[in-house]
Short mmCIF file of all heavy atoms in Angstrom, two decimals:
data_model
loop_
_atom_site.label_atom_id
_atom_site.label_comp_id
_atom_site.label_asym_id
_atom_site.label_seq_id
_atom_site.Cartn_x
_atom_site.Cartn_y
_atom_site.Cartn_z
N THR A 435 11.77 -5.89 -9.86
CA THR A 435 11.67 -4.67 -10.59
C THR A 435 10.13 -4.34 -10.74
O THR A 435 10.00 -3.08 -10.63
CB THR A 435 12.23 -4.87 -12.09
OG1 THR A 435 11.66 -6.05 -12.52
CG2 THR A 435 13.67 -4.93 -12.04
N PHE A 436 9.29 -5.26 -10.65
CA PHE A 436 7.85 -4.92 -10.68
C PHE A 436 7.56 -4.10 -9.39
O PHE A 436 6.90 -2.99 -9.41
CB PHE A 436 6.94 -6.10 -10.67
CG PHE A 436 5.49 -5.80 -10.84
CD1 PHE A 436 4.87 -5.68 -12.03
CD2 PHE A 436 4.79 -5.36 -9.66
CE1 PHE A 436 3.57 -5.32 -12.14
CE2 PHE A 436 3.38 -4.97 -9.82
CZ PHE A 436 2.75 -4.82 -11.12
N ARG A 437 8.02 -4.71 -8.16
CA ARG A 437 7.72 -4.12 -6.87
C ARG A 437 8.34 -2.75 -6.84
O ARG A 437 7.72 -1.69 -6.28
CB ARG A 437 8.22 -4.88 -5.70
CG ARG A 437 7.26 -6.00 -5.40
CD ARG A 437 5.98 -5.46 -4.72
NE ARG A 437 5.10 -6.59 -4.64
CZ ARG A 437 5.01 -7.27 -3.55
NH1 ARG A 437 5.77 -7.12 -2.53
NH2 ARG A 437 4.05 -8.29 -3.51
N LEU A 438 9.42 -2.56 -7.31
CA LEU A 438 10.16 -1.20 -7.06
C LEU A 438 9.69 -0.15 -7.97
O LEU A 438 9.59 0.99 -7.66
CB LEU A 438 11.64 -1.47 -7.31
CG LEU A 438 12.41 -2.25 -6.35
CD1 LEU A 438 13.90 -2.53 -6.86
CD2 LEU A 438 12.43 -1.72 -4.93
N PHE A 439 9.39 -0.53 -9.17
CA PHE A 439 9.08 0.46 -10.29
C PHE A 439 7.68 0.40 -10.84
O PHE A 439 6.94 1.47 -10.96
CB PHE A 439 10.01 0.45 -11.46
CG PHE A 439 11.47 0.61 -10.95
CD1 PHE A 439 12.37 -0.44 -10.71
CD2 PHE A 439 11.99 1.94 -10.76
CE1 PHE A 439 13.63 -0.26 -10.37
CE2 PHE A 439 13.18 2.09 -10.52
CZ PHE A 439 14.10 0.94 -10.25
N VAL A 440 7.20 -0.82 -11.24
CA VAL A 440 5.96 -0.88 -11.85
C VAL A 440 4.78 -0.69 -11.04
O VAL A 440 3.74 -0.01 -11.34
CB VAL A 440 5.83 -2.23 -12.63
CG1 VAL A 440 4.58 -2.25 -13.59
CG2 VAL A 440 7.11 -2.62 -13.53
N ARG A 441 4.90 -1.15 -9.82
CA ARG A 441 3.75 -1.07 -8.87
C ARG A 441 3.37 0.44 -8.49
O ARG A 441 2.20 0.80 -8.77
CB ARG A 441 4.10 -1.85 -7.60
CG ARG A 441 2.90 -1.89 -6.68
CD ARG A 441 3.29 -2.59 -5.29
NE ARG A 441 2.19 -2.29 -4.32
CZ ARG A 441 1.08 -2.97 -4.17
NH1 ARG A 441 0.99 -4.06 -4.87
NH2 ARG A 441 0.22 -2.65 -3.43
N PRO A 442 4.42 1.23 -8.24
CA PRO A 442 4.04 2.60 -8.03
C PRO A 442 3.53 3.34 -9.32
O PRO A 442 2.63 4.19 -9.28
CB PRO A 442 5.39 3.30 -7.50
CG PRO A 442 6.33 2.28 -7.40
CD PRO A 442 5.78 0.89 -7.84
N ALA A 443 4.11 2.92 -10.40
CA ALA A 443 3.70 3.52 -11.64
C ALA A 443 2.22 3.15 -11.93
O ALA A 443 1.45 4.04 -12.37
CB ALA A 443 4.64 3.09 -12.80
N LEU A 444 1.86 1.88 -11.81
CA LEU A 444 0.55 1.49 -12.01
C LEU A 444 -0.46 2.08 -11.16
O LEU A 444 -1.55 2.52 -11.53
CB LEU A 444 0.56 -0.07 -11.90
CG LEU A 444 -0.68 -0.76 -12.25
CD1 LEU A 444 -1.32 -0.33 -13.60
CD2 LEU A 444 -0.58 -2.20 -12.22
N GLN A 445 -0.05 2.35 -9.85
CA GLN A 445 -1.08 2.93 -8.93
C GLN A 445 -1.25 4.34 -9.38
O GLN A 445 -2.36 4.85 -9.26
CB GLN A 445 -0.53 2.84 -7.51
CG GLN A 445 -1.55 3.50 -6.57
CD GLN A 445 -1.20 3.28 -5.15
OE1 GLN A 445 -1.32 2.13 -4.61
NE2 GLN A 445 -0.67 4.28 -4.49
N ALA A 446 -0.17 4.98 -9.79
CA ALA A 446 -0.43 6.41 -10.31
C ALA A 446 -1.22 6.44 -11.54
O ALA A 446 -2.12 7.33 -11.74
CB ALA A 446 0.91 7.08 -10.58
N LEU A 447 -1.03 5.54 -12.53
CA LEU A 447 -1.77 5.50 -13.68
C LEU A 447 -3.26 5.15 -13.44
O LEU A 447 -4.17 5.63 -14.14
CB LEU A 447 -1.16 4.36 -14.56
CG LEU A 447 -1.69 4.30 -16.09
CD1 LEU A 447 -1.23 5.54 -16.79
CD2 LEU A 447 -1.26 3.03 -16.70
N ALA A 448 -3.49 4.57 -12.18
CA ALA A 448 -4.90 4.14 -11.96
C ALA A 448 -5.56 5.26 -11.10
O ALA A 448 -6.66 5.10 -10.71
CB ALA A 448 -4.77 3.00 -10.97
N GLY A 449 -4.87 6.53 -11.08
CA GLY A 449 -5.49 7.76 -10.50
C GLY A 449 -5.10 7.77 -9.06
O GLY A 449 -5.47 8.78 -8.38
N GLY A 450 -4.24 7.05 -8.61
CA GLY A 450 -3.76 7.10 -7.11
C GLY A 450 -2.49 7.94 -7.00
O GLY A 450 -2.00 8.36 -8.01
N PRO A 451 -1.99 7.82 -5.71
CA PRO A 451 -0.80 8.55 -5.65
C PRO A 451 0.49 7.72 -6.13
O PRO A 451 0.48 6.45 -6.14
CB PRO A 451 -0.67 8.68 -3.98
CG PRO A 451 -1.43 7.56 -3.55
CD PRO A 451 -2.54 7.30 -4.57
N PHE A 452 1.61 8.32 -6.37
CA PHE A 452 2.83 7.62 -6.71
C PHE A 452 3.46 7.39 -5.40
O PHE A 452 3.96 8.24 -4.75
CB PHE A 452 3.73 8.36 -7.49
CG PHE A 452 4.90 7.62 -8.04
CD1 PHE A 452 4.90 7.03 -9.32
CD2 PHE A 452 6.07 7.44 -7.22
CE1 PHE A 452 6.07 6.28 -9.76
CE2 PHE A 452 7.18 6.67 -7.72
CZ PHE A 452 7.08 6.16 -8.90
N GLU A 453 3.46 6.03 -4.87
CA GLU A 453 4.01 5.77 -3.62
C GLU A 453 5.31 4.92 -3.86
O GLU A 453 5.29 3.84 -4.11
CB GLU A 453 3.07 4.97 -2.75
CG GLU A 453 2.03 5.77 -2.19
CD GLU A 453 0.90 4.93 -1.36
OE1 GLU A 453 0.76 3.79 -1.78
OE2 GLU A 453 0.27 5.58 -0.64
N SER A 454 6.44 5.52 -3.54
CA SER A 454 7.75 4.88 -3.64
C SER A 454 7.69 3.75 -2.68
O SER A 454 7.05 3.79 -1.63
CB SER A 454 8.86 5.81 -3.29
OG SER A 454 8.91 6.86 -4.24
N PRO A 455 8.44 2.71 -2.86
CA PRO A 455 8.52 1.61 -1.95
C PRO A 455 9.03 2.22 -0.59
O PRO A 455 9.86 3.00 -0.52
CB PRO A 455 9.57 0.62 -2.61
CG PRO A 455 9.98 1.18 -3.91
CD PRO A 455 9.26 2.53 -4.08
N VAL A 456 8.48 1.55 0.51
CA VAL A 456 8.80 2.03 1.83
C VAL A 456 9.66 0.87 2.59
O VAL A 456 9.36 -0.31 2.48
CB VAL A 456 7.46 2.23 2.65
CG1 VAL A 456 7.92 2.43 4.20
CG2 VAL A 456 6.68 3.36 2.06
N TRP A 457 10.71 1.36 3.07
CA TRP A 457 11.62 0.42 3.83
C TRP A 457 11.35 0.28 5.31
O TRP A 457 10.94 1.16 5.88
CB TRP A 457 13.16 0.80 3.76
CG TRP A 457 13.84 1.24 2.48
CD1 TRP A 457 14.68 2.35 2.27
CD2 TRP A 457 13.64 0.76 1.15
NE1 TRP A 457 14.93 2.48 0.99
CE2 TRP A 457 14.37 1.48 0.27
CE3 TRP A 457 12.92 -0.35 0.63
CZ2 TRP A 457 14.45 1.31 -1.12
CZ3 TRP A 457 13.05 -0.67 -0.75
CH2 TRP A 457 13.74 0.11 -1.62
N LEU A 458 11.58 -0.98 5.77
CA LEU A 458 11.56 -1.16 7.26
C LEU A 458 13.05 -1.12 7.64
O LEU A 458 13.89 -1.23 6.77
CB LEU A 458 11.10 -2.54 7.61
CG LEU A 458 9.68 -2.96 7.13
CD1 LEU A 458 9.45 -4.37 7.52
CD2 LEU A 458 8.66 -2.11 7.61
N ARG A 459 13.22 -1.00 8.99
CA ARG A 459 14.62 -1.11 9.44
C ARG A 459 14.78 -2.38 10.24
O ARG A 459 13.85 -2.79 10.99
CB ARG A 459 14.93 0.09 10.37
CG ARG A 459 14.96 1.41 9.74
CD ARG A 459 16.15 1.63 8.90
NE ARG A 459 17.42 1.98 9.51
CZ ARG A 459 18.56 1.94 8.99
NH1 ARG A 459 18.72 1.59 7.69
NH2 ARG A 459 19.67 2.25 9.79
N ALA A 460 15.86 -3.07 9.94
CA ALA A 460 16.05 -4.32 10.70
C ALA A 460 17.44 -4.52 10.87
O ALA A 460 18.41 -3.94 10.26
CB ALA A 460 15.50 -5.55 9.88
N ARG A 461 17.96 -5.36 11.82
CA ARG A 461 19.27 -5.83 12.27
C ARG A 461 19.64 -7.07 11.30
O ARG A 461 18.69 -7.95 11.17
CB ARG A 461 19.42 -6.03 13.71
CG ARG A 461 19.70 -4.87 14.45
CD ARG A 461 20.09 -5.26 15.79
NE ARG A 461 20.07 -4.24 16.80
CZ ARG A 461 21.04 -3.38 16.87
NH1 ARG A 461 22.06 -3.38 16.15
NH2 ARG A 461 20.90 -2.42 17.88
N LEU A 462 20.70 -6.98 10.82
CA LEU A 462 21.21 -8.12 9.88
C LEU A 462 21.61 -9.30 10.75
O LEU A 462 22.41 -9.12 11.78
CB LEU A 462 22.38 -7.56 9.14
CG LEU A 462 22.76 -8.26 7.83
CD1 LEU A 462 21.60 -8.45 6.90
CD2 LEU A 462 23.88 -7.47 7.11
N ALA A 463 21.16 -10.51 10.50
CA ALA A 463 21.44 -11.72 11.21
C ALA A 463 22.74 -12.39 10.75
O ALA A 463 23.20 -13.15 11.47
CB ALA A 463 20.33 -12.59 11.26
N ARG A 464 23.08 -12.06 9.58
CA ARG A 464 24.35 -12.70 9.00
C ARG A 464 25.15 -11.60 8.19
O ARG A 464 24.64 -10.60 7.75
CB ARG A 464 23.88 -13.68 7.99
CG ARG A 464 23.78 -15.18 8.49
CD ARG A 464 24.04 -16.13 7.29
NE ARG A 464 23.05 -16.17 6.24
CZ ARG A 464 23.39 -15.79 5.03
NH1 ARG A 464 24.56 -15.35 4.72
NH2 ARG A 464 22.49 -15.87 4.09
N GLU A 465 26.45 -11.87 8.27
CA GLU A 465 27.37 -10.96 7.52
C GLU A 465 27.06 -10.97 6.05
O GLU A 465 26.71 -11.92 5.46
CB GLU A 465 28.78 -11.34 7.85
CG GLU A 465 29.80 -10.67 7.06
CD GLU A 465 31.15 -11.30 7.26
OE1 GLU A 465 31.38 -12.35 6.66
OE2 GLU A 465 31.97 -10.78 8.05
N LEU A 466 27.19 -9.77 5.42
CA LEU A 466 26.98 -9.77 3.90
C LEU A 466 28.17 -9.04 3.35
O LEU A 466 28.66 -8.09 3.79
CB LEU A 466 25.70 -9.02 3.49
CG LEU A 466 24.36 -9.69 3.68
CD1 LEU A 466 23.21 -8.75 3.37
CD2 LEU A 466 24.32 -10.95 2.86
N ARG A 467 28.61 -9.61 2.10
CA ARG A 467 29.64 -8.97 1.31
C ARG A 467 29.22 -8.77 -0.12
O ARG A 467 28.52 -9.72 -0.58
CB ARG A 467 30.96 -9.81 1.33
CG ARG A 467 31.73 -9.83 2.59
CD ARG A 467 32.78 -10.96 2.52
NE ARG A 467 33.29 -11.12 3.93
CZ ARG A 467 34.27 -10.35 4.41
NH1 ARG A 467 34.89 -9.43 3.55
NH2 ARG A 467 34.66 -10.59 5.60
N GLN A 468 29.52 -7.79 -0.80
CA GLN A 468 29.24 -7.73 -2.25
C GLN A 468 30.11 -6.78 -2.89
O GLN A 468 30.90 -6.06 -2.23
CB GLN A 468 27.74 -7.17 -2.31
CG GLN A 468 27.70 -5.67 -1.77
CD GLN A 468 26.60 -4.93 -2.50
OE1 GLN A 468 25.96 -5.36 -3.42
NE2 GLN A 468 26.34 -3.75 -1.85
N LYS A 469 30.10 -6.78 -4.23
CA LYS A 469 30.96 -5.95 -5.00
C LYS A 469 30.34 -4.58 -5.02
O LYS A 469 29.11 -4.37 -4.83
CB LYS A 469 31.01 -6.46 -6.41
CG LYS A 469 32.07 -7.52 -6.61
CD LYS A 469 32.44 -7.85 -8.10
CE LYS A 469 31.29 -8.44 -8.70
NZ LYS A 469 31.54 -8.84 -10.09
N GLU A 470 31.18 -3.54 -5.11
CA GLU A 470 30.75 -2.16 -5.10
C GLU A 470 29.95 -1.82 -6.38
O GLU A 470 30.03 -2.52 -7.36
CB GLU A 470 32.01 -1.29 -5.08
CG GLU A 470 31.81 0.11 -4.60
CD GLU A 470 33.13 0.73 -4.39
OE1 GLU A 470 34.09 0.34 -5.04
OE2 GLU A 470 33.15 1.66 -3.61
N GLY A 471 29.01 -0.89 -6.16
CA GLY A 471 28.43 -0.33 -7.50
C GLY A 471 26.98 -0.60 -7.72
O GLY A 471 26.49 0.21 -8.50
N LEU A 472 26.33 -1.60 -7.05
CA LEU A 472 24.93 -1.80 -7.42
C LEU A 472 24.27 -1.84 -6.08
O LEU A 472 24.70 -2.12 -5.00
CB LEU A 472 24.93 -3.16 -7.97
CG LEU A 472 25.55 -3.49 -9.27
CD1 LEU A 472 25.36 -5.00 -9.64
CD2 LEU A 472 24.96 -2.73 -10.40
N THR A 473 22.89 -1.36 -6.11
CA THR A 473 22.03 -1.48 -5.02
C THR A 473 21.45 -2.93 -5.07
O THR A 473 20.97 -3.32 -6.13
CB THR A 473 20.92 -0.33 -5.16
OG1 THR A 473 21.49 0.85 -5.18
CG2 THR A 473 19.94 -0.60 -3.87
N ARG A 474 21.67 -3.63 -4.10
CA ARG A 474 21.24 -5.03 -4.13
C ARG A 474 20.00 -5.25 -3.19
O ARG A 474 19.81 -4.67 -2.20
CB ARG A 474 22.39 -5.93 -3.64
CG ARG A 474 23.54 -5.95 -4.72
CD ARG A 474 24.52 -7.06 -4.38
NE ARG A 474 23.78 -8.35 -4.50
CZ ARG A 474 24.27 -9.45 -4.16
NH1 ARG A 474 25.55 -9.51 -3.67
NH2 ARG A 474 23.60 -10.65 -4.30
N PHE A 475 19.20 -6.34 -3.62
CA PHE A 475 17.93 -6.61 -2.92
C PHE A 475 18.15 -8.11 -2.65
O PHE A 475 18.05 -8.92 -3.57
CB PHE A 475 16.81 -6.32 -3.71
CG PHE A 475 16.68 -4.81 -4.00
CD1 PHE A 475 17.27 -4.22 -5.11
CD2 PHE A 475 16.03 -4.08 -3.12
CE1 PHE A 475 17.14 -2.87 -5.25
CE2 PHE A 475 15.81 -2.68 -3.26
CZ PHE A 475 16.52 -2.09 -4.29
N ILE A 476 18.40 -8.43 -1.48
CA ILE A 476 18.78 -9.81 -1.13
C ILE A 476 17.60 -10.51 -0.32
O ILE A 476 17.19 -10.08 0.71
CB ILE A 476 20.01 -9.84 -0.30
CG1 ILE A 476 21.19 -9.25 -1.10
CG2 ILE A 476 20.30 -11.18 0.34
CD1 ILE A 476 22.33 -8.64 -0.33
N PRO A 477 17.00 -11.54 -0.85
CA PRO A 477 15.78 -12.15 -0.24
C PRO A 477 16.21 -12.62 1.19
O PRO A 477 17.27 -13.15 1.48
CB PRO A 477 15.60 -13.39 -1.13
CG PRO A 477 16.17 -13.02 -2.40
CD PRO A 477 17.37 -12.26 -2.10
N ALA A 478 15.35 -12.34 2.10
CA ALA A 478 15.60 -12.56 3.51
C ALA A 478 14.30 -12.88 4.24
O ALA A 478 13.08 -12.46 3.73
CB ALA A 478 16.19 -11.23 4.12
N GLN A 479 14.40 -13.47 5.30
CA GLN A 479 13.27 -13.72 6.37
C GLN A 479 13.48 -12.75 7.38
O GLN A 479 14.38 -12.58 8.04
CB GLN A 479 13.45 -15.15 6.81
CG GLN A 479 12.24 -15.58 7.69
CD GLN A 479 10.95 -15.70 6.96
OE1 GLN A 479 10.88 -16.17 5.83
NE2 GLN A 479 9.91 -15.26 7.64
N VAL A 480 12.38 -11.93 7.61
CA VAL A 480 12.40 -10.85 8.53
C VAL A 480 11.35 -11.15 9.66
O VAL A 480 10.31 -11.60 9.39
CB VAL A 480 11.97 -9.49 8.00
CG1 VAL A 480 12.21 -8.35 8.84
CG2 VAL A 480 12.61 -9.27 6.60
N GLU A 481 11.87 -11.02 10.93
CA GLU A 481 10.94 -11.31 12.00
C GLU A 481 11.22 -10.50 13.17
O GLU A 481 12.32 -9.93 13.37
CB GLU A 481 10.93 -12.77 12.37
CG GLU A 481 12.30 -13.26 12.89
CD GLU A 481 12.33 -14.63 13.45
OE1 GLU A 481 11.49 -15.44 12.87
OE2 GLU A 481 13.10 -14.86 14.39
N MET A 482 10.27 -10.29 14.05
CA MET A 482 10.61 -9.61 15.24
C MET A 482 11.25 -10.36 16.31
O MET A 482 10.91 -11.56 16.57
CB MET A 482 9.23 -9.08 15.86
CG MET A 482 8.53 -7.99 15.04
SD MET A 482 9.63 -6.53 14.81
CE MET A 482 9.78 -5.82 16.39
N ARG A 483 12.40 -9.97 16.91
CA ARG A 483 12.97 -10.68 17.99
C ARG A 483 12.97 -9.53 19.16
O ARG A 483 13.73 -8.54 19.06
CB ARG A 483 14.25 -11.11 17.66
CG ARG A 483 14.29 -12.26 16.68
CD ARG A 483 15.53 -13.04 16.56
NE ARG A 483 15.53 -13.86 15.34
CZ ARG A 483 16.62 -14.19 14.54
NH1 ARG A 483 17.80 -13.72 14.88
NH2 ARG A 483 16.40 -14.89 13.53
N GLY A 484 12.19 -9.84 20.18
CA GLY A 484 11.91 -8.72 21.18
C GLY A 484 11.46 -7.55 20.38
O GLY A 484 10.41 -7.58 19.80
N ARG A 485 12.10 -6.35 20.65
CA ARG A 485 11.63 -5.10 20.07
C ARG A 485 12.16 -4.81 18.69
O ARG A 485 11.95 -3.73 18.20
CB ARG A 485 11.95 -3.94 21.07
CG ARG A 485 11.20 -3.92 22.38
CD ARG A 485 11.49 -2.78 23.21
NE ARG A 485 10.62 -2.75 24.39
CZ ARG A 485 10.57 -1.79 25.22
NH1 ARG A 485 11.37 -0.73 25.05
NH2 ARG A 485 9.79 -1.84 26.27
#
Side-chain angles (χ1 to χ4, degrees):
T435 50
F436 188 96
R437 278 293 170 91
L438 295 176
F439 300 98
V440 189
R441 189 185 163 88
L444 182 51
Q445 182 170 287
L447 192 70
F452 187 96
E453 285 174 337
S454 300
V456 172
W457 313 138
L458 307 174
R459 295 288 282 168
R461 277 191 192 277
L462 201 53
R464 268 207 294 113
E465 177 190 70
L466 281 178
R467 284 165 195 278
Q468 62 151 354
K469 277 194 288 185
E470 206 169 18
L472 298 173
T473 302
R474 293 195 56 187
F475 297 87
I476 297 157
Q479 182 68 37
V480 194
E481 60 171 36
M482 290 305 291
R483 291 193 194 147
R485 292 184 174 185

